[in-house]
Amino acid sequence: MKVSKILSKGKIGSLELENRFIFPAIDTSYAHRDGKVSETTIKHYERIASGGAGLITVEAATVHKSGLIPKGLDLSTDSAIQGFSKIAEAIKRQGTKAAAQLFHPGRQTSSRHTGHTLFAPSAIPSKPVYEIPEEMTKALIFEMIGCFAQAALRVKLAGFDAVEFHGAHGYLINGFLSPWSNKREDEFGGTIENRCKFAVEIIKKTRELVGEDFPILFRISGHEYVFKGYDIEEAKAIALRLEEAGVDALHISAGNYESFEMMFPPMNTSTGTHQDLAKEIKKIVKIPIISVGRIHTPEIAEQILVEGKADFVAVGRGMLADPDFVKKIKSNQEELIRPCISCNICVDKLYGGEGVQCIQNPELGYKFSTDILQAPLKKKMIIVGAGPAGMQAAITAAERGHDVSLYEQSDDLGGTVRLAATPFFKKGYWNFISSLKKRAENAGVKIHLNTKVDHVFIRKEAPDTVILATGSTFRIPAIKGIDLNHVKMAEDIIKNPELAGNEVVIIGGGWTGCEVSIVLAQSGRKATVVKRGSILGDGIGRSHRWSLLKEMEERGVQNMTNVSYEEISKEGLVVLLNGERKLLKADTIVIAAGLESNNNLYSILKNEIEELYLIGDAIKTRTVLEAVQEATKLTVGI
Ligand SMILES: Cc1cc2nc3c(=O)[nH]c(=O)nc-3n(C[C@H](O)[C@H](O)[C@H](O)COP(=O)(O)OP(=O)(O)OC[C@H]3O[C@@H](n4cnc5c(N)ncnc54)[C@H](O)[C@@H]3O)c2cc1C
Ligand SMILES: Cc1cc2nc3c(=O)[nH]c(=O)nc-3n(C[C@H](O)[C@H](O)[C@H](O)COP(=O)(O)O)c2cc1C
Ligand code: SF4
């Protein structure tokens, strides 16, 4: 594609950037538990910097001990400068400019995590946390302003080229800006002028410490998308005050914990999600504007700049999925970019405390070597099953020079992900499948569809190595009446909701049960999810679970937990709840009772073939991430 703007040089204050791409702050949880920079932190930022973005922003670091979350970064004391200087050095070694983001979580954390009382402008809890914070005294407010400025000076002393204040997403600074979370009656609350005072004082104090030439970037939510929060009109008023206070660039994100999907726009939101918020703010300020939010292709990035909506584009998850995003644009290899599909598995891993990882980039997390070195001995390899595990294994093995044949019993590639991608809110998974297809073709994998492999076939082919990625099958529970005609499998209903009647009971409240209920409710049906356990959607990553449960509630899906199944009758499902028999009336019963590994072939061949491996759901049913990671880990070593 012809790109004129995105690769042109740009300036933020006195800082010249090679191109218009910025890697925004993305918390990784790679730091040590006590907030110190780890080797993984340094390695990560150097890897991202090697991809050629103009500016790399290091994730939010707390400016005060009370904001320290386990495995988050801590820049609240001078002793942290040394660790941070190693990150700055690593980024700059790659010829890229480096910024570091500063924050305090305010009320959007939990005292269980920080070991401190939560505090905020007012004693109002944030919904997903529900912990009532303490209202900050004026003395604490002034102390905190000093902490932000001191930490900014540390950013400079550590060798960074710029600092960014995190004034978005509902954290402490945003807490002051928002009329929804700031109900103070002193000079820090009330009018817009007053709500901006905390931010303005931080900027002024920082300027005194870092000098005129050191660029200060400021991130705000251009809209909070919460009831009684601020909208774009107030965001414009805030932007003007921040510009006047001396910031060098404004970075326009959106949302907070109660409008979570705006912070990390999922796959069913528009691309370039917040570009119009950036555009509105750009109209009224003179300083550069950075736009962020699903800018995951060079086309969208170029369009935002050409239309004058922003001066820079931040690509976050896009560079996690493919750290060489910018490099590939520079070398006219855009078609090789592994696209981020906004599945937010990275977010789920972060909130699950496991460190950021990505389905498109098995390297991320840096838990095992992913160096694709040529194999010392070229082998004849058969891979059975073309789900994500089989496809990823085939790609890596073929890239290393092996002779790889991939066999799939169905008529297309993708495995269970084809089903996962069917509901209207998960269409983004098709991009994942098509990028795997493209990579398999480029790597020279020999693909055989409509071929069910058995032990006879494998014996006849006599390969050196066999990798079984045979996935799973749907479990059919032993319930009286399961054979009745109105009992359907979730798999069939996801593909064709018209097979269901108007009143449906779904057996199983895991991933599949929750998703099929939304599909049914969306097509106008009454859906009730029943579950033996107590937690609906357990085992699903946190952000995905939140969105699913929210969607179910909004669409009127009913649920009943802690039941045991008695029998399926013509009238519906009979359950036992608290010792009482209950008939849940339904004209259709949908079975979503989980998956079981399909490893029959492995059982037959395990004592015959020396190099026989089992990967993905065929070992244990999990998610795409484990499938691609296991596949990579295995095949880099064969
Ligand atoms: C409804 C639903 C929604 C889901 N949503 C998500 C999600 O949003 N995110 C996520 O990360 N995970 C999701 N999952 C889980 C995810 O799909 C699986 O974890 C993942 O697909 C496992 O990959 P795999 O390659 O191990 O197995 P599979 O994807 O199951 O692939 C196995 C393949 O092997 C083939 N095969 C089997 N036996 C043979 C044989 N003998 N010969 C030839 N071919 C054979 C099968 O046809 C199949 O194509 C979802 C699962 C379901 C059921
Ligand atoms: C795992 C993860 C961690 C994040 N951590 C931060 C953070 O520390 N500070 C911040 O301002 N934004 C954070 N964000 C938001 C991103 O900077 C960015 O605004 C968001 O991902 C949308 O942009 P994208 O579509 O390019 O990813 C995080 C996003 C993700 C996915
Ligand atoms: S895990 Fe999903 S959302 Fe996160 S970077 Fe990778 S592809 Fe994008």
Side-chain angles (χ1 to χ4, degrees):
M1 101 178 244
K2 190 178 163 299
V3 288
S4 55
K5 281 269 184 190
I6 46 180
L7 294 181
S8 64
K9 286 189 178 10
K11 258 184 133 183
I12 292 180
S14 57
L15 184 66
E16 187 156 296
L17 304 184
E18 252 323 289
N19 54 59
R20 304 301 177 108
F21 285 105
I22 292 178
F23 178 69
I26 295 237
D27 195 3
T28 57
S29 265
Y30 296 158
H32 292 295
R33 271 201 90 72
D34 61 358
K36 289 203 181 76
V37 171
S38 71
E39 286 306 313
T40 311
T41 316
I42 298 166
K43 186 173 178 176
H44 170 62
Y45 285 106
E46 179 147 22
R47 176 66 188 97
I48 298 285
S50 70
L55 179 68
I56 307 294
T57 318
V58 171
E59 67 204 72
T62 185
V63 300
H64 192 271
K65 285 281 180 221
S66 61
L68 181 59
I69 301 157
K71 297 194 201 165
L73 285 174
D74 181 7
L75 196 45
S76 65
T77 58
D78 287 350
S79 62
I81 295 174
Q82 201 192 3
F84 271 76
S85 67
K86 290 186 186 158
I87 314 182
E89 237 175 75
I91 294 173
K92 291 161 105 173
R93 229 182 349 255
Q94 297 299 326
T96 307
K97 299 290 193 298
Q101 191 187 60
L102 297 174
F103 96 131
H104 186 288
R107 66 197 188 123
Q108 285 188 171
T109 181
S110 137
S111 51
R112 272 187 302 118
H113 289 138
T114 62
H116 284 82
T117 311
L118 299 198
F119 52 74
S122 303
I124 302 170
S126 155
K127 220 178 179 181
V129 179
Y130 288 110
E131 186 171 332
I132 300 176
E134 232 170 61
E135 177 172 315
M136 287 167 78
T137 60
K138 262 207 235 172
L140 184 56
I141 292 177
F142 284 109
E143 181 189 334
M144 197 58 71
I145 290 167
C147 289
F148 269 100
Q150 285 293 341
L153 178 61
R154 291 182 196 115
V155 169
K156 183 177 179 183
L157 295 175
F160 285 87
D161 301 295
V163 66
E164 178 174 89
F165 291 116
H166 195 349
H169 300 170
Y171 298 116
L172 187 63
I173 298 179
N174 186 214
F176 274 91
L177 297 174
S178 170
W180 167 68
S181 51
N182 181 352
K183 305 282 181 202
R184 298 181 72 90
E185 290 176 358
D186 59 10
E187 72 265 36
F188 288 97
T191 62
I192 241 198
E193 203 70 45
N194 286 2
R195 280 184 274 125
C196 286
K197 189 172 165 64
F198 184 64
V200 166
E201 293 300 322
I202 289 173
I203 296 159
K204 286 186 181 161
K205 189 94 194 150
T206 300
R207 195 49 89 203
E208 278 169 34
L209 296 186
V210 299
E212 283 308 313
D213 272 354
F214 193 67
I216 302 177
L217 288 73
F218 206 101
R219 196 171 221 210
I220 57 168
S221 290
H223 198 308
E224 288 196 285
Y225 297 108
V226 289
F227 182 58
K228 294 192 177 168
Y230 68 74
D231 59 9
I232 179 64
E233 288 312 313
E234 272 208 87
K236 280 155 73 175
I238 292 167
L240 281 174
R241 282 161 180 82
L242 298 177
E243 179 181 43
E244 199 182 294
V247 304
D248 296 287
L250 283 166
H251 192 156
I252 314 302
S253 182
N256 58 46
Y257 274 23
E258 287 192 33
S259 47
F260 197 74
E261 60 284 359
M262 290 298 157
M263 292 166 53
F264 322 102
M267 58 177 68
N268 57 348
T269 55
S270 61
T271 50
T273 327
H274 307 313
Q275 55 180 301
D276 288 331
L277 299 176
K279 173 182 139 193
E280 288 304 307
I281 292 176
K282 185 161 166 56
K283 278 185 199 160
I284 58 151
V285 295
K286 294 184 192 67
I287 50 178
I289 294 295
I290 304 159
S291 181
V292 70
R294 297 201 71 211
I295 306 174
H296 291 168
T297 63
E299 287 81 8
I300 301 161
E302 182 75 10
Q303 168 245 307
I304 290 172
L305 297 188
V306 168
E307 290 177 7
K309 291 177 170 176
D311 304 281
F312 293 89
V313 283
V315 178
R317 291 168 296 173
M319 290 191 205
L320 294 184
D322 193 339
D324 293 327
F325 186 89
V326 178
K327 217 186 228 176
K328 287 178 182 169
I329 299 171
K330 282 185 187 163
S331 58
N332 288 320
Q333 291 183 303
E334 292 100 340
E335 75 289 351
L336 295 185
I337 292 174
R338 286 190 310 248
C340 166
I341 63 158
S342 305
C343 63
N344 280 346
I345 302 244
C346 47
V347 178
D348 287 340
K349 288 287 151 188
L350 173 71
Y351 284 104
E354 294 166 75
V356 161
Q357 297 164 56
C358 170
I359 63 164
Q360 284 285 51
N361 179 7
E363 171 189 17
L364 204 70
Y366 312 95
K367 291 188 176 168
F368 53 90
S369 162
T370 52
D371 291 342
I372 314 289
L373 304 172
Q374 279 302 294
L377 190 66
K378 185 175 165 177
K379 291 182 176 168
K380 177 179 173 182
M381 192 178 284
I382 284 187
I383 299 180
V384 186
M391 291 183 79
Q392 179 65 59
I395 293 164
T396 309
E399 282 173 356
R400 298 191 59 234
H402 293 301
D403 173 13
V404 181
S405 296
L406 175 65
Y407 292 91
E408 168 57 42
Q409 64 188 5
S410 73
D411 62 357
D412 212 342
L413 304 171
T416 309
V417 181
R418 292 164 57 76
L419 183 66
T422 303
F424 64 96
F425 49 95
K426 285 179 69 183
K427 298 283 178 209
Y429 273 99
W430 291 111
N431 290 339
F432 171 63
I433 298 173
S434 47
S435 81
L436 282 175
K437 275 186 188 173
K438 210 186 297 169
R439 287 166 57 210
E441 281 159 18
N442 284 343
V445 175
K446 294 173 202 154
I447 297 168
H448 308 267
L449 297 175
N450 301 305
T451 313
K452 181 167 179 155
V453 169
D454 59 13
H455 55 287
V456 179
F457 176 85
I458 290 187
R459 282 177 194 146
K460 194 168 107 244
E461 287 292 311
D464 301 309
T465 309
V466 178
I467 299 178
L468 301 176
T470 43
S472 60
T473 49
F474 277 89
R475 181 179 294 137
I476 302 178
I479 303 174
K480 191 175 163 203
I482 193 94
D483 296 331
L484 289 171
N485 276 342
H486 64 309
V487 178
K488 311 279 178 205
M489 292 304 290
E491 185 180 11
D492 300 321
I493 299 294
I494 289 176
K495 288 180 195 154
N496 183 9
E498 295 309 314
L499 294 175
N502 291 322
E503 202 167 353
V504 187
V505 167
I506 299 148
I507 295 182
W511 205 325
T512 311
C514 292
E515 290 192 356
V516 78
S517 76
I518 296 171
V519 169
L520 286 165
Q522 197 248 353
S523 63
R525 291 168 167 85
K526 185 172 173 240
T528 304
V529 176
V530 291
K531 190 172 181 351
R532 278 186 304 189
S534 58
I535 300 169
L536 212 58
D538 57 345
I540 307 177
R542 195 191 293 195
S543 77
H544 193 59
R545 182 168 174 268
W546 278 351
S547 338
L548 276 184
L549 297 188
K550 194 170 160 194
E551 191 85 29
M552 285 165 74
E553 193 184 327
E554 282 170 10
R555 292 180 183 275
V557 172
Q558 303 292 310
N559 70 78
M560 191 178 274
T561 52
N562 294 315
V563 301
S564 54
Y565 310 127
E566 287 284 286
E567 76 173 292
I568 298 169
S569 69
K570 278 192 184 139
E571 288 72 39
L573 175 71
V574 181
V575 295
L576 259 189
L577 179 66
N578 302 326
E580 214 178 290
R581 258 174 89 89
K582 258 186 186 297
L583 169 71
L584 304 177
K585 280 189 151 192
D587 53 29
T588 311
I589 306 292
V590 173
I591 306 297
L595 300 157
E596 325 186 285
S597 295
N598 171 19
N599 46 27
N600 301 341
L601 207 45
Y602 183 78
S603 309
I604 299 171
L605 295 171
K606 71 178 174 201
N607 296 323
E608 273 181 51
I609 296 176
E610 198 179 327
E611 282 199 42
L612 176 72
Y613 303 98
L614 190 66
I615 54 172
D617 273 13
I619 299 182
K620 182 173 181 258
T621 57
R622 288 154 298 164
T623 71
V624 170
L625 183 68
E626 287 84 1
V628 296
Q629 287 183 341
E630 246 160 50
T632 310
K633 196 172 172 182
L634 171 69
T635 42
V636 290
I638 297 181

